Amino acid sequence: MALKIRLRKQGRNNRPFYRLVVADSRSPRDGKYVEMLGWYNPFEAELDKCLQVKQDRIQYWLDNGAQVSENAASLIVKVAPQVIRQNTQKMVAHRAKKAAKRKARSKA
């Protein structure tokens, strides 16, 4: 099951409210989800009232292989930039390790 951290639209017409959720990538945007990780209200002025994120749970799901959508990542960076930075560093290290293996294999 491929998991994604993404936004789930809620609210009424012309007044959307979003939940940051972990969901199966094949489920619809407003369908069922595994866990709610926070919420985002674009109509609030203050960042504290506008966006709330559970950093520890996001880190847990990223460590277990969940992917982050672009919109969710842009919101997470506002509140918890270290979570995204750590995930990016992990991916870069993994790619470098694969490249080194490939290079060693081609030399042999």
Side-chain angles (χ1 to χ4, degrees), residues 32-49:
K32 65 180 182 177
Y33 56 91
V34 178
E35 182 179 356
M36 187 180 100
L37 303 175
W39 48 265
Y40 170 59
N41 187 355
F43 288 98
E44 286 291 335
E46 298 176 31
L47 187 62
D48 295 340
K49 293 180 182 178

Side-chain angles (χ1 to χ4, degrees), residues 21-57:
V21 298
V22 176
D24 184 5
S25 62
R26 297 169 293 185
S27 66
R29 179 193 68 190
D30 299 336
K32 65 180 182 177
Y33 56 91
V34 178
E35 182 179 356
M36 187 180 100
L37 303 175
W39 48 265
Y40 170 59
N41 187 355
F43 288 98
E44 286 291 335
E46 298 176 31
L47 187 62
D48 295 340
K49 293 180 182 178
C50 175
L51 179 63
Q52 181 185 4
V53 173
K54 297 177 187 173
Q55 297 178 25
D56 57 333
R57 295 306 294 169

Side-chain angles (χ1 to χ4, degrees), residues 97-108:
K97 187 176 178 182
K98 277 177 106 172
K101 262 188 180 178
R102 204 174 324 120
K103 193 173 184 181
R105 202 176 325 131
S106 68
K107 282 186 178 181

Side-chain angles (χ1 to χ4, degrees), residues 1 18 41 53 56 66 69 80 83-84 88 91 95 97 101 106 108:
M1 176 166 67
Y18 299 93
N41 187 355
V53 173
D56 57 333
S69 71
V83 172
I84 298 296
T88 304
M91 286 175 26
R95 287 183 186 150
K97 187 176 178 182
K101 262 188 180 178
S106 68

